[in-house]
Amino acid sequence: MSRIGVAFDKARADGRAVLVGCMPAGFPTVEGSIAAMTAMVEAGVDVIEVEIPYSDPVMDGPVIQKASDIALAGGVRTADTLRIIEAVAATGAPVVTMTYWNPIEQYGVDAFARDLAAAGGTGLITPDLIPDEAGEWLAASDAYGLDRTFLVSPSSTDARLRMTVEHCRGFVYATAIMGVTGARSQTSDAAPVLVSRLREVTELPVGVGLGVGTGAQAATVAGYADGVIVGSALIRRLLDAPDLDAGLAALRTLSAELAEGVRNPTR
Amino acid sequence: MSADVTTPAGQFPDSAGHFGRFGGRFVPEALVAALDELDAAYRKAMTDEEFLAEFAALLRDYAGTPSLLYPAGRFSAKIGARVLLKREDLNHTGAHKVRNVLGQALLTRRMGKRRVIAETGAGQHGVATATAAALFDLDCVVYMGEVDTERQALNVARMRMLGATVIPVTTGSRTLKDAMNEAMRDWVANVDDTHYLIGTAAGPHPFPEMVRDFVRGIGDEARQQCLDLTGGLPDAVLACVGGGSNALGIFHAFVPDTDVRLYGFEAGGDGVDTDRHAASITGGTPGVLHGARTYVLQNADGQTVESHSISAGLDYPGVGPEHAWLHDSGRARYQPVTDREAMAAFELLCRTEGIIPAIESAHALAGAVQIAPQLAAELGREPLLVVNLSGRGDKDVHTAGEYFGILDKEQ
């Protein structure tokens, strides 16, 4: 079983959900992003999701767009992302990579899978790669023992849910709302429905993302999902801070609040 | 993915939207249901007599097609080729775009959706979409890069007159690609009641195939008109290529005519050997952008790089996947035309024919200037060229005025 699978099993045994925290690689700088992700782990984030910054992130709202732009303007390269993954994996937390497809295709799918595995990454979350187009990635992830997390949506048909989970390994990512990333004031009504539909077709752990930004929301999502995925709310702590130290402090505070939330699921 | 690239394009794409190794669907899962719904509606419509009759009537009575095929005598004499201009500039709204939006607006109504969104570069597609939305009583939101809203202010006003909401996009390079990103984000969030009316033969399946089919009348008409006028087929068919819908529209009917050369002219900007151009095929590499695998202007890490062209409508770092495939198969040839060459051809058409072309279409005219001598030498006679005059230049008069320095100081 993959390290992500172990983390989900352990959390399930403890009667809580896994907290997944997302941060773009190279934001605000390469070293700064390593510091941020390390701070998140220390404050109770179970799994770190490293997003490879991309010039055209169509699934992302304004916060992640801005952070990605800052990272790219700073000159971060795909190779830097692998270095960041290696550094964060050294903390002991499982590190999963979220990436739009073109950067991987340009690096070389097999080469990226090889280097990701060597860096200690567990696998990929692919927001714009559906299993229908994933032949090369299916082969490479098998070859290097990596997890594959495809997304499912409230609009997915039952047939597509079944097909998608058959191609997932590690966990499946349920998008809670129809929309892009970004914290929202209310959690979604569609998410619990989607998760229960998934339960009928898979034993895989289900992570729910899009819109979660507070401890209370994390507790609500933890009530029906195996993993709570938080991105924009964490990233905003760094964007809004006057300097990196203040940002890291704010990041620790929110990480701890979210970690408390996933430990107290609302059922 | 193992399609034979030597097969004529008429049989492509495959059922999943692949043109050889290009095309497909690289989209969030959230959009798959909507794309499947669109695909089903489109395939049903294309065999539905009622739909086809309604589309044909709109094209004839509202858009003003078939457009003329005009023998441009004075322009021909200047360049050493017999040039027939496909006058898409005379269509309602001033470009070939109206064909596509009427087809997609009819589909939108059939799918029971009440809102359309669109991206636009030069504003021609935005104006066409706003026009169809007014005609079909649909809500309309157009995303347009902030840079483009400034250089195409007249078209912004036209869209607003037609009742559309124009949203300037301030992210990224603030041009067409960023407008497309914002439209995709809107669509993901509002897919239940909204159709994304993509303006070119790009994006995820079924858009490249569907848009081509809605604009293929350009080539169907031109082929018959050329036969009627000259008794034969042309030596070459020429079009400008940004996303590539006007080019596919005029190429499609000629693809099986293997003696007819097909030429696509990309926006070479300051030159493809500089970093300021929009020539995705001649200056880019295969990658994934906006839902499809195609040629893309990108760096080694797969980050899209900014394109440049004096023509807002060609200023896009990707190209429709069918063009990528026509290029790889060798059936069509793609060449860059610089800003300077395009503007020279723009002026030449104004002065010889009394026709102000869109700067986009001026790239095809410049292409005719480029290839006329070599084709004449190859054939040993004056070549017969069909050039797609895809749009009119009213919207470009300010840009051209600045370029040629003919505006009064206070303007």
Side-chain angles (χ1 to χ4, degrees), chain B residues 204-260:
Chain B
H205 178 66
F207 282 102
E209 180 186 7
M210 179 181 74
V211 173
R212 176 199 73 197
D213 284 352
F214 285 148
V215 297
R216 63 168 290 174
I218 306 168
D220 291 337
E221 293 164 17
R223 190 174 182 282
Q224 189 58 50
Q225 288 165 325
C226 185
L227 287 169
D228 294 345
L229 197 68
T230 71
L233 291 173
D235 296 306
V237 175
L238 292 74
C240 65
V241 177
S245 66
N246 92 82
L248 285 175
I250 198 160
F251 286 176
H252 193 65
F254 293 98
V255 167
D257 302 318
T258 48
D259 288 344
V260 179

Short mmCIF file of all heavy atoms in Angstrom, two decimals, chain B residues 204-260:
data_model
loop_
_atom_site.label_atom_id
_atom_site.label_comp_id
_atom_site.label_asym_id
_atom_site.label_seq_id
_atom_site.Cartn_x
_atom_site.Cartn_y
_atom_site.Cartn_z
N PRO B 204 -11.45 21.51 -26.48
CA PRO B 204 -11.68 20.06 -26.34
C PRO B 204 -12.72 19.54 -27.33
O PRO B 204 -13.60 20.29 -27.77
CB PRO B 204 -12.19 19.93 -24.90
CG PRO B 204 -12.83 21.25 -24.60
CD PRO B 204 -12.01 22.27 -25.34
N HIS B 205 -12.63 18.27 -27.65
CA HIS B 205 -13.63 17.59 -28.46
C HIS B 205 -15.01 17.78 -27.83
O HIS B 205 -15.13 17.61 -26.63
CB HIS B 205 -13.27 16.10 -28.53
CG HIS B 205 -14.24 15.27 -29.29
ND1 HIS B 205 -14.43 15.43 -30.64
CD2 HIS B 205 -15.08 14.28 -28.89
CE1 HIS B 205 -15.35 14.55 -31.04
NE2 HIS B 205 -15.75 13.85 -30.01
N PRO B 206 -16.08 18.13 -28.56
CA PRO B 206 -16.18 18.14 -30.03
C PRO B 206 -15.95 19.50 -30.69
O PRO B 206 -16.26 19.64 -31.88
CB PRO B 206 -17.63 17.71 -30.24
CG PRO B 206 -18.36 18.38 -29.12
CD PRO B 206 -17.41 18.31 -27.93
N PHE B 207 -15.46 20.51 -29.97
CA PHE B 207 -15.40 21.84 -30.57
C PHE B 207 -14.65 21.90 -31.90
O PHE B 207 -15.15 22.50 -32.86
CB PHE B 207 -14.82 22.86 -29.58
CG PHE B 207 -15.82 23.31 -28.54
CD1 PHE B 207 -15.79 22.81 -27.27
CD2 PHE B 207 -16.82 24.22 -28.87
CE1 PHE B 207 -16.72 23.21 -26.31
CE2 PHE B 207 -17.74 24.63 -27.92
CZ PHE B 207 -17.69 24.12 -26.64
N PRO B 208 -13.43 21.35 -32.01
CA PRO B 208 -12.71 21.51 -33.29
C PRO B 208 -13.48 20.96 -34.48
O PRO B 208 -13.54 21.59 -35.54
CB PRO B 208 -11.41 20.74 -33.05
CG PRO B 208 -11.21 20.77 -31.57
CD PRO B 208 -12.61 20.65 -31.00
N GLU B 209 -14.10 19.81 -34.28
CA GLU B 209 -14.84 19.18 -35.37
C GLU B 209 -16.15 19.94 -35.64
O GLU B 209 -16.52 20.20 -36.79
CB GLU B 209 -15.14 17.73 -34.97
CG GLU B 209 -15.93 16.96 -36.01
CD GLU B 209 -16.32 15.56 -35.51
OE1 GLU B 209 -16.10 15.26 -34.32
OE2 GLU B 209 -16.86 14.79 -36.32
N MET B 210 -16.83 20.32 -34.57
CA MET B 210 -18.13 20.98 -34.70
C MET B 210 -17.99 22.36 -35.35
O MET B 210 -18.75 22.71 -36.27
CB MET B 210 -18.77 21.11 -33.32
CG MET B 210 -20.10 21.82 -33.32
SD MET B 210 -20.76 21.96 -31.65
CE MET B 210 -19.71 23.25 -31.02
N VAL B 211 -17.02 23.13 -34.88
CA VAL B 211 -16.83 24.46 -35.45
C VAL B 211 -16.45 24.36 -36.92
O VAL B 211 -16.95 25.09 -37.77
CB VAL B 211 -15.79 25.26 -34.64
CG1 VAL B 211 -15.47 26.58 -35.32
CG2 VAL B 211 -16.28 25.50 -33.21
N ARG B 212 -15.57 23.42 -37.24
CA ARG B 212 -15.22 23.20 -38.65
C ARG B 212 -16.47 22.92 -39.47
O ARG B 212 -16.64 23.47 -40.56
CB ARG B 212 -14.25 22.02 -38.75
CG ARG B 212 -13.90 21.66 -40.19
CD ARG B 212 -13.35 20.25 -40.31
NE ARG B 212 -14.40 19.26 -40.13
CZ ARG B 212 -14.17 17.98 -39.87
NH1 ARG B 212 -12.95 17.53 -39.70
NH2 ARG B 212 -15.17 17.13 -39.75
N ASP B 213 -17.33 22.07 -38.95
CA ASP B 213 -18.53 21.72 -39.72
C ASP B 213 -19.47 22.91 -39.88
O ASP B 213 -20.14 23.02 -40.91
CB ASP B 213 -19.25 20.54 -39.08
CG ASP B 213 -18.53 19.22 -39.35
OD1 ASP B 213 -17.57 19.24 -40.16
OD2 ASP B 213 -18.90 18.20 -38.75
N PHE B 214 -19.52 23.78 -38.89
CA PHE B 214 -20.40 24.96 -39.01
C PHE B 214 -19.84 25.99 -39.99
O PHE B 214 -20.60 26.79 -40.54
CB PHE B 214 -20.65 25.60 -37.65
CG PHE B 214 -21.61 24.82 -36.77
CD1 PHE B 214 -21.48 24.82 -35.39
CD2 PHE B 214 -22.65 24.09 -37.33
CE1 PHE B 214 -22.37 24.11 -34.59
CE2 PHE B 214 -23.54 23.38 -36.54
CZ PHE B 214 -23.40 23.39 -35.17
N VAL B 215 -18.53 26.02 -40.20
CA VAL B 215 -17.95 27.02 -41.11
C VAL B 215 -17.53 26.42 -42.46
O VAL B 215 -17.03 27.13 -43.32
CB VAL B 215 -16.75 27.78 -40.48
CG1 VAL B 215 -17.19 28.56 -39.27
CG2 VAL B 215 -15.60 26.85 -40.16
N ARG B 216 -17.72 25.12 -42.63
CA ARG B 216 -17.23 24.48 -43.85
C ARG B 216 -17.94 24.98 -45.10
O ARG B 216 -17.47 24.76 -46.22
CB ARG B 216 -17.32 22.96 -43.76
CG ARG B 216 -18.75 22.44 -43.64
CD ARG B 216 -18.79 20.94 -43.85
NE ARG B 216 -18.51 20.65 -45.26
CZ ARG B 216 -18.37 19.43 -45.76
NH1 ARG B 216 -18.44 18.38 -44.96
NH2 ARG B 216 -18.15 19.23 -47.04
N GLY B 217 -19.06 25.66 -44.92
CA GLY B 217 -19.77 26.24 -46.05
C GLY B 217 -18.87 27.18 -46.85
O GLY B 217 -19.07 27.35 -48.07
N ILE B 218 -17.91 27.80 -46.20
CA ILE B 218 -16.99 28.71 -46.90
C ILE B 218 -16.33 27.98 -48.07
O ILE B 218 -16.32 28.45 -49.21
CB ILE B 218 -15.89 29.25 -45.96
CG1 ILE B 218 -16.47 29.91 -44.70
CG2 ILE B 218 -14.98 30.23 -46.71
CD1 ILE B 218 -15.42 30.19 -43.62
N GLY B 219 -15.78 26.81 -47.77
CA GLY B 219 -15.07 26.05 -48.79
C GLY B 219 -16.02 25.36 -49.77
O GLY B 219 -15.73 25.28 -50.97
N ASP B 220 -17.15 24.88 -49.24
CA ASP B 220 -18.14 24.24 -50.13
C ASP B 220 -18.59 25.25 -51.19
O ASP B 220 -18.67 24.91 -52.38
CB ASP B 220 -19.35 23.76 -49.32
CG ASP B 220 -19.03 22.59 -48.41
OD1 ASP B 220 -18.04 21.87 -48.69
OD2 ASP B 220 -19.74 22.39 -47.41
N GLU B 221 -18.87 26.48 -50.74
CA GLU B 221 -19.29 27.51 -51.69
C GLU B 221 -18.15 27.88 -52.65
O GLU B 221 -18.34 27.96 -53.87
CB GLU B 221 -19.70 28.79 -50.93
CG GLU B 221 -20.96 28.66 -50.08
CD GLU B 221 -21.10 29.80 -49.06
OE1 GLU B 221 -20.42 30.84 -49.22
OE2 GLU B 221 -21.87 29.64 -48.12
N ALA B 222 -16.97 28.11 -52.08
CA ALA B 222 -15.84 28.58 -52.89
C ALA B 222 -15.47 27.57 -53.97
O ALA B 222 -15.15 27.94 -55.11
CB ALA B 222 -14.64 28.88 -52.00
N ARG B 223 -15.54 26.29 -53.61
CA ARG B 223 -15.16 25.26 -54.57
C ARG B 223 -16.11 25.28 -55.77
O ARG B 223 -15.69 25.28 -56.93
CB ARG B 223 -15.20 23.88 -53.89
CG ARG B 223 -14.60 22.77 -54.71
CD ARG B 223 -14.55 21.46 -53.91
NE ARG B 223 -13.93 20.40 -54.69
CZ ARG B 223 -14.55 19.73 -55.67
NH1 ARG B 223 -15.80 20.01 -55.97
NH2 ARG B 223 -13.90 18.80 -56.34
N GLN B 224 -17.43 25.35 -55.48
CA GLN B 224 -18.41 25.38 -56.56
C GLN B 224 -18.31 26.69 -57.36
O GLN B 224 -18.38 26.69 -58.59
CB GLN B 224 -19.83 25.21 -55.98
CG GLN B 224 -20.90 25.02 -57.04
CD GLN B 224 -20.62 23.81 -57.94
OE1 GLN B 224 -20.34 22.71 -57.44
NE2 GLN B 224 -20.63 24.01 -59.26
N GLN B 225 -18.12 27.80 -56.65
CA GLN B 225 -18.02 29.10 -57.31
C GLN B 225 -16.81 29.14 -58.24
O GLN B 225 -16.86 29.70 -59.33
CB GLN B 225 -17.93 30.22 -56.27
CG GLN B 225 -19.24 30.48 -55.53
CD GLN B 225 -19.06 31.33 -54.27
OE1 GLN B 225 -18.05 31.21 -53.58
NE2 GLN B 225 -20.03 32.19 -53.98
N CYS B 226 -15.71 28.53 -57.80
CA CYS B 226 -14.50 28.53 -58.61
C CYS B 226 -14.72 27.68 -59.88
O CYS B 226 -14.31 28.07 -60.97
CB CYS B 226 -13.32 27.99 -57.79
SG CYS B 226 -11.74 28.09 -58.65
N LEU B 227 -15.39 26.54 -59.69
CA LEU B 227 -15.72 25.70 -60.86
C LEU B 227 -16.60 26.46 -61.84
O LEU B 227 -16.37 26.44 -63.05
CB LEU B 227 -16.42 24.42 -60.39
CG LEU B 227 -15.54 23.37 -59.71
CD1 LEU B 227 -16.41 22.27 -59.07
CD2 LEU B 227 -14.56 22.75 -60.72
N ASP B 228 -17.61 27.15 -61.30
CA ASP B 228 -18.54 27.89 -62.16
C ASP B 228 -17.83 29.02 -62.90
O ASP B 228 -18.10 29.30 -64.06
CB ASP B 228 -19.69 28.49 -61.33
CG ASP B 228 -20.59 27.41 -60.74
OD1 ASP B 228 -20.49 26.25 -61.19
OD2 ASP B 228 -21.37 27.73 -59.82
N LEU B 229 -16.91 29.67 -62.20
CA LEU B 229 -16.27 30.87 -62.73
C LEU B 229 -15.14 30.53 -63.70
O LEU B 229 -14.96 31.21 -64.72
CB LEU B 229 -15.71 31.67 -61.54
CG LEU B 229 -15.35 33.12 -61.74
CD1 LEU B 229 -16.60 33.96 -61.97
CD2 LEU B 229 -14.61 33.64 -60.50
N THR B 230 -14.38 29.49 -63.39
CA THR B 230 -13.16 29.21 -64.16
C THR B 230 -13.20 27.87 -64.87
O THR B 230 -12.31 27.56 -65.65
CB THR B 230 -11.92 29.22 -63.25
OG1 THR B 230 -11.95 28.05 -62.41
CG2 THR B 230 -11.87 30.47 -62.38
N GLY B 231 -14.18 27.03 -64.54
CA GLY B 231 -14.24 25.71 -65.14
C GLY B 231 -13.29 24.71 -64.50
O GLY B 231 -13.18 23.57 -64.95
N GLY B 232 -12.58 25.14 -63.46
CA GLY B 232 -11.65 24.20 -62.81
C GLY B 232 -11.45 24.56 -61.36
O GLY B 232 -12.07 25.48 -60.83
N LEU B 233 -10.56 23.80 -60.73
CA LEU B 233 -10.22 24.06 -59.33
C LEU B 233 -9.00 24.98 -59.27
O LEU B 233 -8.22 25.04 -60.22
CB LEU B 233 -9.93 22.73 -58.62
CG LEU B 233 -11.13 21.80 -58.42
CD1 LEU B 233 -10.69 20.45 -57.85
CD2 LEU B 233 -12.19 22.45 -57.52
N PRO B 234 -8.82 25.66 -58.15
CA PRO B 234 -7.65 26.54 -58.03
C PRO B 234 -6.36 25.74 -57.85
O PRO B 234 -6.40 24.55 -57.52
CB PRO B 234 -7.96 27.35 -56.77
CG PRO B 234 -8.85 26.46 -55.96
CD PRO B 234 -9.67 25.68 -56.95
N ASP B 235 -5.25 26.41 -58.09
CA ASP B 235 -3.96 25.77 -57.79
C ASP B 235 -3.70 25.75 -56.29
O ASP B 235 -3.03 24.85 -55.79
CB ASP B 235 -2.83 26.53 -58.50
CG ASP B 235 -2.97 26.46 -60.01
OD1 ASP B 235 -3.07 25.33 -60.53
OD2 ASP B 235 -3.02 27.53 -60.65
N ALA B 236 -4.21 26.77 -55.61
CA ALA B 236 -3.98 26.83 -54.17
C ALA B 236 -5.11 27.56 -53.49
O ALA B 236 -5.75 28.44 -54.07
CB ALA B 236 -2.65 27.51 -53.86
N VAL B 237 -5.35 27.18 -52.22
CA VAL B 237 -6.32 27.86 -51.36
C VAL B 237 -5.54 28.42 -50.18
O VAL B 237 -4.73 27.71 -49.57
CB VAL B 237 -7.41 26.89 -50.89
CG1 VAL B 237 -8.35 27.57 -49.90
CG2 VAL B 237 -8.19 26.35 -52.08
N LEU B 238 -5.77 29.70 -49.89
CA LEU B 238 -4.97 30.38 -48.87
C LEU B 238 -5.85 30.97 -47.79
O LEU B 238 -6.92 31.52 -48.08
CB LEU B 238 -4.16 31.53 -49.51
CG LEU B 238 -3.03 31.19 -50.49
CD1 LEU B 238 -3.59 30.74 -51.84
CD2 LEU B 238 -2.13 32.40 -50.68
N ALA B 239 -5.37 30.89 -46.55
CA ALA B 239 -6.10 31.49 -45.44
C ALA B 239 -5.13 31.85 -44.33
O ALA B 239 -4.03 31.28 -44.25
CB ALA B 239 -7.15 30.52 -44.90
N CYS B 240 -5.52 32.79 -43.50
CA CYS B 240 -4.73 33.07 -42.30
C CYS B 240 -5.10 32.06 -41.23
O CYS B 240 -6.18 31.49 -41.25
CB CYS B 240 -4.97 34.50 -41.80
SG CYS B 240 -6.66 34.81 -41.23
N VAL B 241 -4.18 31.82 -40.30
CA VAL B 241 -4.42 30.85 -39.23
C VAL B 241 -4.05 31.46 -37.88
O VAL B 241 -2.89 31.80 -37.65
CB VAL B 241 -3.59 29.56 -39.44
CG1 VAL B 241 -3.81 28.60 -38.27
CG2 VAL B 241 -3.96 28.88 -40.74
N GLY B 242 -5.08 31.62 -37.03
CA GLY B 242 -4.82 31.95 -35.63
C GLY B 242 -5.21 30.71 -34.86
O GLY B 242 -4.43 29.79 -34.69
N GLY B 243 -6.48 30.66 -34.41
CA GLY B 243 -7.04 29.39 -33.94
C GLY B 243 -7.30 28.49 -35.13
O GLY B 243 -7.12 27.29 -35.08
N GLY B 244 -7.75 29.12 -36.24
CA GLY B 244 -7.79 28.40 -37.49
C GLY B 244 -9.15 28.07 -38.07
O GLY B 244 -9.24 27.27 -39.00
N SER B 245 -10.24 28.71 -37.59
CA SER B 245 -11.55 28.29 -38.11
C SER B 245 -11.78 28.75 -39.54
O SER B 245 -12.34 28.00 -40.35
CB SER B 245 -12.68 28.77 -37.20
OG SER B 245 -12.80 30.17 -37.19
N ASN B 246 -11.35 29.96 -39.89
CA ASN B 246 -11.62 30.39 -41.28
C ASN B 246 -10.83 29.53 -42.25
O ASN B 246 -11.30 29.21 -43.35
CB ASN B 246 -11.34 31.89 -41.45
CG ASN B 246 -9.93 32.22 -41.92
OD1 ASN B 246 -9.63 32.16 -43.10
ND2 ASN B 246 -9.04 32.55 -40.99
N ALA B 247 -9.62 29.12 -41.84
CA ALA B 247 -8.79 28.28 -42.72
C ALA B 247 -9.40 26.90 -42.89
O ALA B 247 -9.53 26.39 -44.00
CB ALA B 247 -7.37 28.18 -42.16
N LEU B 248 -9.82 26.28 -41.77
CA LEU B 248 -10.44 24.96 -41.90
C LEU B 248 -11.72 25.06 -42.70
O LEU B 248 -12.05 24.17 -43.49
CB LEU B 248 -10.73 24.37 -40.52
CG LEU B 248 -9.52 23.83 -39.78
CD1 LEU B 248 -9.92 23.39 -38.39
CD2 LEU B 248 -8.87 22.68 -40.53
N GLY B 249 -12.44 26.16 -42.49
CA GLY B 249 -13.70 26.36 -43.21
C GLY B 249 -13.50 26.35 -44.70
O GLY B 249 -14.28 25.74 -45.44
N ILE B 250 -12.45 27.00 -45.16
CA ILE B 250 -12.23 27.04 -46.61
C ILE B 250 -11.44 25.82 -47.11
O ILE B 250 -11.60 25.39 -48.24
CB ILE B 250 -11.59 28.36 -47.07
CG1 ILE B 250 -11.79 28.56 -48.59
CG2 ILE B 250 -10.11 28.46 -46.69
CD1 ILE B 250 -11.64 29.98 -49.06
N PHE B 251 -10.60 25.23 -46.23
CA PHE B 251 -9.80 24.06 -46.66
C PHE B 251 -10.66 22.81 -46.85
O PHE B 251 -10.40 22.00 -47.74
CB PHE B 251 -8.74 23.70 -45.61
CG PHE B 251 -7.54 24.61 -45.54
CD1 PHE B 251 -6.56 24.41 -44.54
CD2 PHE B 251 -7.36 25.67 -46.43
CE1 PHE B 251 -5.45 25.24 -44.46
CE2 PHE B 251 -6.25 26.51 -46.34
CZ PHE B 251 -5.29 26.27 -45.34
N HIS B 252 -11.63 22.65 -45.94
CA HIS B 252 -12.24 21.33 -45.77
C HIS B 252 -12.74 20.71 -47.08
O HIS B 252 -12.46 19.55 -47.37
CB HIS B 252 -13.38 21.41 -44.75
CG HIS B 252 -13.85 20.07 -44.28
ND1 HIS B 252 -13.03 19.21 -43.56
CD2 HIS B 252 -15.02 19.41 -44.45
CE1 HIS B 252 -13.69 18.11 -43.30
NE2 HIS B 252 -14.90 18.20 -43.82
N ALA B 253 -13.43 21.52 -47.88
CA ALA B 253 -13.98 20.98 -49.13
C ALA B 253 -12.88 20.59 -50.11
O ALA B 253 -13.10 19.75 -50.99
CB ALA B 253 -14.91 22.01 -49.77
N PHE B 254 -11.71 21.19 -49.96
CA PHE B 254 -10.61 20.95 -50.91
C PHE B 254 -9.65 19.85 -50.47
O PHE B 254 -8.77 19.46 -51.23
CB PHE B 254 -9.81 22.24 -51.13
CG PHE B 254 -10.59 23.33 -51.83
CD1 PHE B 254 -11.19 24.37 -51.12
CD2 PHE B 254 -10.72 23.34 -53.23
CE1 PHE B 254 -11.88 25.39 -51.76
CE2 PHE B 254 -11.41 24.36 -53.89
CZ PHE B 254 -12.00 25.39 -53.15
N VAL B 255 -9.80 19.37 -49.23
CA VAL B 255 -8.83 18.38 -48.74
C VAL B 255 -8.73 17.16 -49.65
O VAL B 255 -7.64 16.70 -49.96
CB VAL B 255 -9.14 18.01 -47.27
CG1 VAL B 255 -8.37 16.76 -46.85
CG2 VAL B 255 -8.78 19.16 -46.34
N PRO B 256 -9.87 16.62 -50.13
CA PRO B 256 -9.75 15.45 -51.02
C PRO B 256 -9.16 15.80 -52.40
O PRO B 256 -8.74 14.89 -53.12
CB PRO B 256 -11.20 14.97 -51.17
CG PRO B 256 -11.95 15.61 -50.04
CD PRO B 256 -11.27 16.91 -49.80
N ASP B 257 -9.16 17.08 -52.79
CA ASP B 257 -8.61 17.48 -54.09
C ASP B 257 -7.09 17.62 -53.96
O ASP B 257 -6.56 18.72 -53.76
CB ASP B 257 -9.20 18.83 -54.53
CG ASP B 257 -10.72 18.80 -54.62
OD1 ASP B 257 -11.26 17.79 -55.12
OD2 ASP B 257 -11.36 19.78 -54.19
N THR B 258 -6.38 16.52 -54.09
CA THR B 258 -4.98 16.53 -53.71
C THR B 258 -4.11 17.40 -54.62
O THR B 258 -2.98 17.72 -54.26
CB THR B 258 -4.41 15.10 -53.67
OG1 THR B 258 -4.80 14.44 -54.88
CG2 THR B 258 -4.95 14.34 -52.48
N ASP B 259 -4.64 17.80 -55.79
CA ASP B 259 -3.87 18.72 -56.63
C ASP B 259 -3.97 20.17 -56.14
O ASP B 259 -3.22 21.03 -56.61
CB ASP B 259 -4.38 18.66 -58.09
CG ASP B 259 -3.98 17.37 -58.76
OD1 ASP B 259 -3.07 16.69 -58.22
OD2 ASP B 259 -4.57 17.02 -59.80
N VAL B 260 -4.91 20.44 -55.27
CA VAL B 260 -5.07 21.80 -54.75
C VAL B 260 -4.20 21.97 -53.52
O VAL B 260 -4.38 21.28 -52.52
CB VAL B 260 -6.56 22.09 -54.40
CG1 VAL B 260 -6.70 23.50 -53.83
CG2 VAL B 260 -7.43 21.90 -55.64
#
